[in-house]
């Protein structure tokens, strides 16, 4: 069990203790930190893929996203295949066609 899972399990007890000490619900909620999700949401990742697709190939975008520990909506690491699918849905068709004709330097 991770520390985050342990905290989530004990959160109701900690809230009850904080409420008894502080005397109000809002103060008790403010006193307990909210854990951050372990990965970024797709709301900021999808536009990023669209911007990167104009300049970089799918394998480079995959490396960038995985280095930043971004995850797909299902919580998986990115692959060139799902980057290509997302990029083609967000980029304009002429920009994507131009990228396909441009040779990739590795």
């Amino acid at each position: 069990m991770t520390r985050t899972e342990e905290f989530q399990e004990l959160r109701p007890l900690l809230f009850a203790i904080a409420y008894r000490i502080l005397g109000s619900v809002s103060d008790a909620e403010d006193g307990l930190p909210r854990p951050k999700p372990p990965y970024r949401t797709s709301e900021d990742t999808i536009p990023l893929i669209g911007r990167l697709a104009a300049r970089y190939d799918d394998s480079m975008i995959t490396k960038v996203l995985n280095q930043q520990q971004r995850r797909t909506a299902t919580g998986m690491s990115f692959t060139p295949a799902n980057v290509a699918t997302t990029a083609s849905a967000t980029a304009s068709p002429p920009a994507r066609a131009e990228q396909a004709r441009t040779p990739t330097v590795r």
Side-chain angles (χ1 to χ4, degrees), residues 27-51:
D27 289 341
E29 286 176 348
D30 291 344
L32 293 176
R34 299 223 181 262
K36 294 180 182 174
Y39 50 86
R40 296 186 173 128
T41 62
S42 62
E43 288 84 25
D44 66 346
T45 302
I46 291 172
L48 174 64
I49 292 172
R51 290 190 307 272

Side-chain angles (χ1 to χ4, degrees), residues 45-46 48-68 70 78-80 82-84 86-88 90 96 99:
T45 302
I46 291 172
L48 174 64
I49 292 172
R51 290 190 307 272
L52 292 174
R55 296 193 149 192
Y56 302 103
D57 67 3
D58 297 335
S59 62
M60 180 59 72
I61 297 170
T62 301
K63 288 178 187 175
V64 169
L65 296 174
N66 289 329
Q67 271 187 330
Q68 293 181 351
R70 293 178 185 251
F78 278 93
T79 64
N82 55 23
V83 166
T86 306
S88 63
T90 59
R96 202 63 185 157
Q99 181 189 4

